[in-house]
């Protein structure tokens, strides 16, 4: 077996044979920089050697680093997992040319050789290895495989084995899936929510900002149409999305695209959003303004107006806003007399000031 990068590091640390190590790595770097055509010819000429040689007996022999390189390149042609090994060598030895050559070979390899673990490995490669154009090629190959395996979300949800496989995908793969899958979006949204829930249960949970990257506003609205028991399971995911996407209230008010997205949310989501402590605000006035934007043009029931009114923390509004603006808000239907509340609050404030 060709040694991983960690083998070279441990060999240098334990043997202390700097001259041998330098010869080994220099030969390997030279080989990695060969063109794909030369690489393929070399593999053909040395295939008999690779089948009969014993790798362990050649690791420490100067001048035989080409053997290890050839072994890697032969495996590179047999499966994508070997590309990962080649790219690890590329990163260690600083050979961007080899990284490009590896990526150019991707489309020519049979996708039936690819496994879920290969997708996870490819999409978790360190960024210094690949340029942006190379990484786009990696993403294209990976998402093609993911969509072939899990593109039908309803089928995945109905098959325990497929569902477990999907849940083992890493975040970049799931993000690509979310961006590309179009068929039966409500099932896809529920599948994505199930993935997020499992990550949270395993203490590998992602923050609100990352969760917001996996969903669209339309996905959240579709989840609201699920039966009550199913929606209860994904409520924590919905809240993470809301905090990641609409957590900065003042920013939403001042960005037209965000404001438009917020105003398209279903009532259940706005109710959930308005009742949380984690919102970032200059003061409670921001929440009142944003709720007014959301209510504009909507026909709300009395119960819905009372629910939103109860979510507004009136005591935290500025005095001028509470006394002059809030009474004019058509949707604000508090369960108390606002004028009496303002008087009591002013008296309490005066008492505290005097004390």
């Amino acid at each position: 077996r060709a040694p991983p990068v960690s083998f070279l590091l441990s060999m240098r640390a334990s043997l202390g044979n700097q001259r041998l190590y330098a010869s080994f790595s220099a030969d390997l770097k030279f080989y990695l920089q060969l063109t794909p055509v030369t690489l393929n010819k070399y593999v053909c000429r040395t295939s008999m050697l690779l089948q009969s040689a014993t790798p362990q007996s050649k690791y420490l022999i100067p001048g035989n680093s080409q053997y290890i390189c050839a072994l890697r390149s032969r495996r590179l042609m047999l499966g994508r997992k070997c590309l990962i090994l080649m790219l690890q060598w590329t990163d260690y030895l600083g050979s961007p040319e080899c990284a490009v050559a590896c990526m150019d070979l991707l489309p020519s390899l049979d996708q039936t050789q690819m496994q879920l673990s290969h997708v996870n490995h490819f999409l978790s490669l360190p960024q210094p290895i690949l340029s942006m154009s190379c990484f786009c090629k990696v993403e294209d190959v990976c998402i093609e495989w993911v969509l072939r395996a899990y593109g039908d979300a309803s089928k995945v949800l109905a098959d325990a084995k497929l569902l477990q496989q999907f849940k083992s995908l890493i975040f970049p793969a799931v993000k690509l899936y979310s961006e590309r899958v179009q068929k039966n979006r409500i099932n896809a949204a529920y599948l994505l929510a199930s993935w997020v829930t499992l990550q949270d249960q395993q203490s590998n949970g992602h923050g609100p900002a990352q969760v917001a990257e996996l969903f669209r506003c339309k996905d959240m609205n579709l989840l609201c149409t699920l039966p009550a028991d199913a929606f209860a399971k994904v409520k924590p995911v919905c809240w993470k999305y809301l905090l990641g996407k609409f957590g900065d209230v003042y920013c939403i008010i001042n960005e037209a695209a965000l404001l438009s997205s917020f105003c398209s949310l279903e009532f259940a989501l706005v109710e959930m959003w308005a009742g949380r402590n984690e919102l970032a605000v200059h003061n409670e006035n921001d929440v009142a303004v944003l709720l007014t934007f959301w209510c504009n043009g909507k026909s709300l029931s009395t119960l819905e107006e009372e629910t939103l009114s109860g979510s507004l923390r009136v005591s935290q509004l500025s005095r001028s806003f509470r006394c002059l603006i809030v009474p004019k808000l058509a949707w604000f239907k508090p369960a108390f007399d606002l004028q009496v509340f303002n008087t009591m609050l002013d008296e309490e404030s005066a008492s505290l000031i005097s004390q």
Side-chain angles (χ1 to χ4, degrees), residues 131-153:
S131 65
M132 183 59 68
S133 59
C134 281
F135 196 72
C136 288
K137 294 179 182 179
V138 173
E139 289 183 332
D140 289 341
V141 170
C142 289
I143 191 55
E144 183 181 348
W145 187 90
V146 170
L147 289 178
R148 182 183 290 112
Y150 311 112
D152 189 342

Side-chain angles (χ1 to χ4, degrees), residues 12 55 81 85 99 108 110 122 124 131 133 258 265 290 336 353:
R12 177 163 59 178
K81 187 174 181 179
L85 301 177
S108 64
D110 186 0
F122 270 125
S124 59
S131 65
S133 59
L258 277 176
L265 293 174
L290 190 51
F336 50 85
I353 292 172

Side-chain angles (χ1 to χ4, degrees), residues 48 58 67 138 166 254 284 310:
M48 294 302 295
K58 294 182 174 290
Y67 161 75
V138 173
F166 182 86
N254 287 278
E284 192 69 9

Side-chain angles (χ1 to χ4, degrees), residues 272-304:
M272 190 188 309
W273 172 88
R276 303 296 299 204
N277 295 324
E278 296 87 346
L279 299 179
V281 298
H282 287 176
N283 57 34
E284 192 69 9
N285 298 0
D286 294 343
V287 177
V289 170
L290 190 51
L291 288 176
T292 302
F293 274 118
W294 183 85
C295 292
N296 185 41
K298 294 181 175 68
S299 179
L300 302 179
S301 67
T302 301
L303 178 60
E304 289 174 335

Side-chain angles (χ1 to χ4, degrees), residues 71 100 137 141 205 214 222 244 271 293 332 337 350:
L71 179 59
V100 174
K137 294 179 182 179
V141 170
L214 297 179
L222 289 172
E271 178 188 5
F293 274 118
F332 187 70
D337 188 304

Side-chain angles (χ1 to χ4, degrees), residues 10 28 42 97 148 264 285:
S10 62
L28 181 57
Y42 187 85
E97 296 86 353
R148 182 183 290 112
S264 69
N285 298 0

Side-chain angles (χ1 to χ4, degrees), residues 53-249:
T54 304
Q56 289 80 357
S57 66
K58 294 182 174 290
Y59 279 161
L60 305 180
I61 301 176
N64 279 295
S65 56
Q66 289 183 347
Y67 161 75
I68 297 175
C69 302
L71 179 59
R72 277 197 185 280
S73 16
R74 181 172 178 267
R75 289 183 176 181
L76 171 62
M77 299 176 69
L78 298 178
R80 285 175 169 78
K81 187 174 181 179
C82 300
L83 279 174
I84 300 167
L85 301 177
M86 284 291 286
L87 287 167
Q88 288 174 340
W89 284 92
T90 300
D91 181 46
Y92 181 72
L93 297 171
S95 177
E97 296 86 353
C98 185
V100 174
C102 290
M103 293 304 99
D104 288 342
L105 289 176
L106 274 174
S108 64
L109 295 176
D110 186 0
Q111 283 233 353
T112 58
Q113 298 175 13
M114 198 167 178
Q115 300 175 9
L116 184 145
S117 59
H118 297 158
V119 172
N120 287 343
H121 281 306
F122 270 125
L123 293 176
S124 59
L125 285 169
Q127 288 301 317
I129 296 181
L130 303 175
S131 65
M132 183 59 68
S133 59
C134 281
F135 196 72
C136 288
K137 294 179 182 179
V138 173
E139 289 183 332
D140 289 341
V141 170
C142 289
I143 191 55
E144 183 181 348
W145 187 90
V146 170
L147 289 178
R148 182 183 290 112
Y150 311 112
D152 189 342
S154 57
K155 181 181 177 181
V156 177
L157 289 169
D159 188 319
K161 183 178 179 180
L162 283 177
L163 181 59
Q164 191 60 37
Q165 290 175 359
F166 182 86
K167 289 180 178 179
S168 65
L169 288 169
I170 62 173
F171 177 82
V174 177
K175 183 182 177 184
L176 284 174
Y177 176 85
S178 174
E179 292 171 353
R180 304 288 183 88
V181 70
Q182 300 295 334
K183 182 181 178 182
N184 206 344
R185 190 66 196 186
I186 185 170
N187 285 333
Y190 191 78
L191 181 59
L192 292 168
S194 300
W195 181 88
V196 174
T197 301
L198 179 66
Q199 300 300 310
D200 291 340
Q201 292 172 351
Q202 295 178 344
S203 301
N204 299 322
H206 298 278
Q210 287 182 301
V211 172
E213 294 178 21
L214 297 179
F215 298 92
R216 312 164 190 170
C217 286
K218 180 183 177 181
D219 295 333
M220 292 292 109
N221 291 336
L222 289 172
L223 290 177
C224 288
T225 65
L226 294 171
D229 56 339
F231 182 62
K233 294 179 181 178
V234 299
K235 259 191 173 182
V237 179
C238 293
W239 163 238
K240 268 195 167 184
Y241 169 83
L242 293 171
L243 182 59
K245 187 77 172 179
F246 305 113
D248 189 334
V249 181

